[in-house]
Amino acid sequence: RRIPLCFVRELRLDDYAITIVLDTGERYELARLGHDTLPFYEMLSKFRDETQRLWTRQHTALLGALDSRLGDAAGNYRFLKNARGEANMATGLFAADSEDFWFVSFGEGRAAVELVLEEKAATYLYRFALDRAVFETRLRHAMEAMGPHREIIFMEDAALQANPLYVMALRRNAHLRFLRASMSGRAVHTGGWNAKVAAFFNDA
């Protein structure tokens, strides 16, 4: 199992059992560590605190320098921000030690996600029946788990099976599976990008 420390909201030690609770409510229990329980818990607490401090600091830095870091994606960001409103925009990191990031624009049960990577990527379109806050949380988990490997969120199942690491990632991460299941299409960055994205949000 892979437990992202940046999303841990509760960490406690009860006798010889360590309980880890994520911001999604996912819960993990570690037991039967014997005399290693306390040292492991202390180490885990230290790394959790360090990871979350860095995660928060890097997100703050991203928001503070967003205009300069958007690069070629600046026009797309402005279009989505003007069309959907600033309150419907959100940004996030793939990792605290990477310059790559993503942003999302929300509509009613819909989201357009843009990946700001060195390599150009399409805009990924999603439909969902969840509360927006729940979708955003699951999106953040999926993006952190995916990292720069964007193929995992759009590859056809047959092609995906040829990559054992992707298969393992999907099997072990429900948020990646959720994101793939919510995919509604892609908008390639061509002359018709604006119209396709606008139609996606406005189509009944």
Side-chain angles (χ1 to χ4, degrees):
R1 288 292 180 265
R2 177 182 181 275
I3 304 174
L5 296 180
C6 55
F7 299 125
V8 172
R9 289 296 171 264
E10 183 181 352
L11 179 62
R12 67 174 185 267
L13 174 62
D14 299 308
D15 293 328
Y16 282 90
I18 299 171
T19 300
I20 304 169
V21 183
L22 304 187
D23 57 358
T24 56
E26 294 167 275
R27 178 186 299 266
Y28 299 88
E29 290 190 357
L30 309 179
R32 298 181 181 177
L33 298 178
H35 294 297
D36 292 327
T37 303
L38 181 57
F40 184 82
Y41 173 76
E42 292 174 342
M43 180 181 64
L44 186 61
S45 298
K46 175 186 175 183
F47 287 146
R48 189 275 303 264
D49 292 344
E50 291 177 353
T51 298
Q52 293 193 352
R53 278 196 296 268
L54 180 59
W55 190 253
T56 300
R57 185 164 68 244
Q58 293 299 82
H59 270 90
T60 301
L62 171 62
L63 292 175
L66 185 60
D67 288 344
S68 62
R69 289 180 61 173
L70 281 167
D72 293 341
N76 296 346
Y77 184 88
R78 285 194 296 270
F79 173 80
L80 290 168
K81 181 180 176 181
N82 291 336
R84 309 304 311 160
E86 186 172 6
N88 289 312
M89 303 293 293
T91 60
L93 299 171
F94 296 103
D97 59 354
S98 171
E99 291 297 309
D100 298 332
F101 66 98
W102 53 268
F103 61 84
V104 56
S105 179
F106 287 102
E108 187 65 35
R110 302 175 194 202
V113 178
E114 186 90 9
L115 312 183
V116 184
L117 309 167
E118 184 175 347
E119 180 184 1
K120 290 187 181 298
T123 302
Y124 300 92
L125 308 175
Y126 299 94
R127 294 178 185 263
F128 55 92
L130 302 172
D131 181 80
R132 169 187 157 173
V134 176
F135 179 89
E136 183 177 335
T137 297
R138 301 200 70 171
L139 174 67
R140 290 186 183 280
H141 276 255
M143 293 289 103
E144 189 274 340
M146 177 185 77
H149 306 290
R150 59 189 175 89
E151 315 90 80
I152 198 170
I153 61 173
F154 69 82
M155 287 177 69
E156 296 291 336
D157 287 341
L160 199 68
Q161 295 302 316
N163 190 314
L165 287 178
Y166 289 175
V167 172
M168 179 178 67
L170 285 170
R171 183 181 301 122
R172 295 184 176 183
N173 192 293
H175 305 293
L176 284 173
R177 296 197 302 273
F178 166 77
L179 206 60
R180 281 179 61 85
S182 302
M183 174 74 77
S184 182
R186 289 188 290 166
V188 180
H189 296 136
T190 62
W193 180 87
N194 290 31
K196 182 168 184 177
V197 173
F200 168 70
F201 280 117
N202 297 325
D203 187 27

